[in-house]
Amino acid sequence: MTRLSKPDLKTETMAEGSEELFVQRIVALWGFNEAAFGGILHALQIPFAGLFIGSVAVLLITLIAHFSKDKSAILKATIIVMLVKGIISPYTPLTAYIAVFIEGMLGYIIFSLVRYEPAASIMLGFTALVYSSLQKLIVTTIFFGMQFWKSIDLFAQYVFNQFGIHAQARTLSISLVLIIIYVALHMMAGLYAGFKAYKIPGRLNDEKILKLKSEYISSAGEESGLMKKKGGRRHWWKKPSRIFLSFFILAVFLLTYFFPQNGKNHSADIIIMIIRAVGIMLVWSLLLASPLRKLLRSIIEKNKFKHAAEIERITQLFPSFGRVINYTWKKSSSAKGIGRMKKFLTESILLLLIIDI
C-alpha cells in the first residue's frame, strides 16, 4: 500500500499528542464545516458556499483516511458529523444530511478499494462534488419540471432576439449550457480539492504554516464576529437563490404574457409550473418532510447520548475554530477573488489542524 509520509506525531504540529486524538480534531473540523461554516461563508457574502463546503469535506475525509489505520473510521466520523449537524443546525434540510452521508460512504468505499492515496483522494473529490451538483439539478427538476429549463431557453431566446441573433436563438439551448457549466465547475473544484487534499499531511510542518501559527498566537486570537448565531429557521424566501428564482419566473411569465409572439404564449405553462412547484412543496412539507424530520430527530436523540462525550468535545471547539477562521480571513485580504478563497481555505485548514485549542 502506498501511503503519504505522515508528520511526526511527537512534534508540536500534533497538539493532542496522538494519532487518534488528531483524527478526532479532523472529525471536529468536519462537524464544524457542516454545521457552522456555511453560516460563516454567508456572513462573508461568499457565493457558491455549497461548493466550498463540499471541497472542505473532501479534504477532511481524505485526512481521516490518511491518519486512520481502519477506513471504517470514516463511517464513524460520518455518523458523528450528522449528529453534530442535527444538534447545532436543527432546521437543516434533509437533503443536507443525505449529502453528508453520501460523502462519507463515497470516502469509505473509495479509500477501501483504492490503495494509492493520491488517486483515491482525487476520485473522492470528483465523485463527491459531481454528485452535489447533480443532486441540486435533480431536486430543481422534480419541483419545477422540464418547463423550468424550457423557460430559461425562452428567456434566452427573447434576449437573443433583442440583439437580432435569431439563428442562435432557435438552435442554442442556454439551459443545457448552464447545466454543463454548473456541473463542470463542481467537477473542476472536486478534482482540485482531491489534488490538494493528499498534499496537506506533508505541509503540517511547513515553515510558513508554523510561522502563521506563531503570528496567530501572538495576536491572542482576535474575537470573531462571524460565529454569532442567528437563531431559528431561515425562511426560504430570504435565501438569495430563492429570491432570484422567484424574480426569474415572474420575469418569464410577464414576458410571455405581454409579448406572446416571443414565447408562443407560454404564460399558461409557467402558471402550471408554479402550481406544480407549490403543490410538490406542500405535499413534501405536510406529508413527507414532517414525519421524516421527526424520525431523524428521534434517531439523533437516541444516538447523541451514545456519542455525547465526542459531540461535547467537538462543539466546545467551535468558538475557537471561529476565531481562527476570522484571523485567516483577515490575513488573506492581500489576495482577491478566487485567489483569496484558496489562500483562506488552505491556511484555515492547516492552522486549525496544528493550533493548540
Side-chain angles (χ1 to χ4, degrees):
M1 174 179 175
T2 304
R3 290 186 61 85
L4 301 168
S5 58
K6 297 180 182 178
D8 183 1
L9 296 179
K10 296 181 180 180
T11 65
E12 63 175 343
T13 56
M14 293 297 164
E16 301 296 342
S18 75
E19 191 170 286
E20 182 179 354
L21 291 176
F22 186 64
V23 171
Q24 291 179 11
R25 169 71 69 87
I26 301 170
V27 175
L29 286 176
W30 189 10
F32 178 82
N33 177 60
E34 297 294 340
F37 192 47
I40 291 176
L41 291 179
H42 174 71
L44 295 173
Q45 298 182 329
I46 303 298
F48 293 102
L51 187 147
F52 291 112
I53 292 172
S55 298
V56 172
V58 169
L59 295 174
L60 298 175
I61 293 171
T62 298
L63 289 174
I64 293 171
H66 177 71
F67 287 105
S68 301
K69 296 177 181 178
D70 188 353
K71 297 298 179 281
S72 62
I74 299 174
L75 296 179
K76 180 182 177 182
T78 302
I79 294 171
I80 294 174
V81 168
M82 292 177 69
L83 291 173
V84 170
K85 192 176 184 71
I87 293 169
I88 301 298
S89 305
Y91 296 112
T92 299
L94 295 174
T95 52
Y97 292 102
I98 296 173
V100 174
F101 178 75
I102 293 295
E103 288 170 353
M105 286 299 299
L106 285 173
Y108 171 70
I109 293 171
I110 291 173
F111 280 100
S112 296
L113 297 178
V114 181
R115 300 299 181 179
Y116 185 57
E117 285 189 1
S121 176
I122 292 172
M123 286 177 63
L124 174 61
F126 176 85
T127 54
L129 270 295
V130 169
Y131 162 77
S132 176
S133 65
L134 293 178
Q135 182 193 57
K136 293 179 176 66
L137 292 172
I138 291 171
V139 170
T140 301
T141 304
I142 290 174
F143 267 84
F144 294 100
M146 293 303 297
Q147 185 60 40
F148 174 74
W149 307 111
K150 292 178 182 177
S151 298
I152 294 178
D153 290 335
L154 177 63
F155 187 78
Q157 182 182 13
Y158 171 76
V159 173
F160 279 134
N161 286 339
Q162 302 313 300
F163 289 94
I165 312 175
H166 301 290
Q168 287 87 336
R170 288 194 300 269
T171 59
L172 182 63
S173 174
I174 292 296
S175 62
L176 180 59
V177 172
L178 291 176
I179 290 172
I180 292 173
I181 292 174
Y182 185 74
V183 175
L185 182 64
H186 282 73
M187 186 186 302
M188 290 186 291
L191 291 172
Y192 180 78
F195 177 76
K196 294 288 287 187
Y198 75 81
K199 291 190 172 185
I200 286 180
R203 296 191 60 188
L204 293 177
N205 287 316
D206 188 279
E207 290 184 6
K208 291 182 179 180
I209 299 303
L210 296 178
K211 180 182 177 182
L212 183 66
K213 176 184 176 182
S214 299
E215 292 173 351
Y216 172 76
I217 294 173
S218 299
S219 73
E222 300 173 6
E223 284 296 322
S224 170
L226 301 177
M227 284 295 294
K228 291 180 181 179
K229 186 174 178 60
K230 297 180 180 179
R233 185 194 302 267
R234 188 180 172 199
H235 297 292
W236 72 269
W237 59 82
K238 293 183 179 180
K239 297 181 180 180
S241 60
R242 304 291 171 81
I243 295 173
F244 170 79
L245 186 62
S246 299
F247 274 108
F248 171 76
I249 293 174
L250 178 62
V252 175
F253 172 75
L254 294 175
L255 173 66
T256 58
Y257 183 81
F258 290 106
F259 303 96
Q261 68 276 12
N262 291 310
K264 296 181 182 178
N265 204 6
H266 284 294
S267 54
D269 293 335
I270 295 175
I271 292 175
I272 293 174
M273 178 182 71
I274 295 172
I275 294 173
R276 169 198 173 100
V278 172
I280 293 177
M281 192 176 298
L282 288 174
V283 170
W284 170 254
S285 301
L286 300 177
L287 300 181
L288 298 176
S290 182
L292 288 174
R293 190 175 293 280
K294 288 181 180 178
L295 176 62
L296 180 62
R297 293 304 306 171
S298 67
I299 293 174
I300 290 174
E301 289 297 321
K302 289 179 182 178
N303 285 274
K304 74 178 183 181
F305 295 105
K306 181 180 179 181
H307 301 282
E310 293 167 281
I311 292 172
E312 184 178 4
R313 282 196 298 268
I314 287 173
T315 54
Q316 285 178 345
L317 292 172
F318 281 15
S320 298
F321 287 171
R323 287 191 289 272
V324 172
I325 285 178
N326 182 63
Y327 177 78
T328 52
W329 177 251
K330 291 179 179 178
K331 287 284 291 183
S332 67
S333 60
S334 58
K336 302 297 179 184
I338 192 67
R340 182 177 189 180
M341 282 304 300
K342 288 165 59 178
K343 179 180 175 65
F344 165 60
L345 290 176
T346 301
E347 291 186 349
S348 294
I349 292 171
L350 289 169
L351 188 57
L352 285 166
L353 287 172
I354 67 173
I355 199 73
D356 296 331
I357 296 177

